[in-house]
Amino acid sequence: MTVADALVDLRSDTVTRPTAGMREAMAAAEVGDDVYGEDPTVNALEAEVAALFGHEAALFAPTGSMANQIALQLVVPPGDELLCDADAHVVTYEIGAAAAYGGISSRTWPAVGADIDPDVVARMVRPDGYFAVPTRAVAVEQTHNRGGGGVIPLATLRELRRVADDNGLALHCDGARIWHAHVADGVPLATYGALFDTLSVCLSKGLGAPVGSLVVGSAERIARARTIRKRMGGGMRQAGVLAAAGRYALAHHVERLAADHAKAARLAEAVAPFGVLATAVRTNLVPLDLSKSPLDAPGLAAAARAEGVLISVLGPRTARLVTHMDVDDDAVDRAAAVLTTILRA
Ligand SMILES: Cc1ncc(COP(=O)(O)O)c(C=O)c1O
C-alpha cells in the first residue's frame, strides 16, 4: 500500500490514477503524429466525442482550461465581450487567459451557481455599436464547480439558448463535468450538445483519465480551433496513448458516476447534523458552509489531514469534499467518521 492509498483524498476528482485496464489500453494504443493529423487513436476519440454530442467535429486538448480558452477565442473576437457568472471557472481559475490570449473582455452576473436566471443574462447583453463593448457569447458551466456540483436544469439552458438566438450570441458550455449532469438528470449528451455552439468536456475529472479534454463544435470552428491550439502550444505528437485513456474512460467510467453521487450524498448526510450546510448535493461535489461551525475551513482541513483525510479549502468558512472512483464506500465511511468526530469536538 502506498502513502496515497492510505489517505482518503476528497480534494478533487482530478486526483484519480489510471486503472489497470486503462493502463493496458494506453500501452496498446496505435499512435502517429497528431500535429500531422495522423494519430488514429486521437482521430477516433475526436470522432467519438463529436458524435456523442451530435456535433460535426471535436479537438483533443491537453487540459480543460485550454479547451475552454480555445472555444472562447472561437466565439469572441479580441476586444469583444463574454458574459458568464462571477464564479465561473473561465474567469476564476484560468489565470486571466481570456484577456491575456484572446483579448476578450469578460463581464459577469452575480455568482448563483447552477441557479441561473436567463432574464438577468438577457438584460446584460450589449448590442453592436461603436460606443460599447459588444457581447458575443455567453458561457455556462455544467455541472457548476464553485456552485457545489449543481446541475443547470434543461429548461434554463433552453431559455439561455433563446436569449442567445434572440441576440445573435454564441452559447458555450464549460462541460468539464457534463457527464455528471447527464447521469444525475438523465439528459442525453446529444440533447446538451444541441443547445450549445461550443462545448469543452474533460476526461480527467471524475472519468479517471490522466489527461485530456475536447473542444466540440462545427467542422468550420474546429478547423480554426486546431490553429488556435497550435498557437497556444497545445499541438501534441503521439497523443494516442492519452486519447486511449480517454476512450477507455468513456466506455467504462460514465455510468458509474451514479455511485460517486451516492457517496457524496452520504457524506453530506453525515456532516449535516453538525451545522454544516451541505444541502442540495446533486452530483459528486459536497460544498461545506462552515459559517455556523466553531471550526473554520483551514482548521477543519488541518484536523482532517492529521487523520488521513484530505479536503479542499475554498474560503475562510467554505470547504469542499469531492467523491470519485479512487474513494470506495469504506473510504467514504472512514472520512465521514473522521469529519464527524472533528466537528463534534
Ligand atoms: C468546471 C471546470 N472547468 C474547467 C476546468 C479546467 O480543467 P484543467 O484543470 O484540466 O485545466 C476545471 C478544473 O477543475 C473545472 O472544474
Side-chain angles (χ1 to χ4, degrees), residues 274-289:
F274 301 95
V276 178
L277 298 180
T279 49
V281 168
R282 294 288 328 280
T283 57
N284 67 324
L285 311 187
V286 183
L288 301 184
D289 173 357

Side-chain angles (χ1 to χ4, degrees), residues 91-149:
V91 290
T92 307
Y93 295 124
E94 298 183 13
I95 329 291
Y101 297 127
I104 294 169
S105 185
S106 301
R107 199 152 49 92
T108 59
W109 63 83
V112 287
D115 199 13
I116 304 167
D117 180 345
D119 290 336
V120 168
V121 179
R123 284 197 292 274
M124 289 178 71
V125 175
R126 285 177 175 147
D128 234 335
Y130 67 91
F131 51 86
V133 182
T135 307
R136 299 294 185 202
V138 173
V140 297
E141 199 168 301
Q142 183 75 310
T143 62
H144 201 292
N145 181 342
R146 286 183 64 87

Side-chain angles (χ1 to χ4, degrees), residues 14 63-65 68 89 94 141 143 145 174 176-177 202 204-205:
T14 57
T63 66
S65 299
N68 271 333
H89 196 281
E94 298 183 13
E141 199 168 301
T143 62
N145 181 342
D174 175 351
R177 295 183 183 80
C202 289
S204 59
K205 319 228 159 34

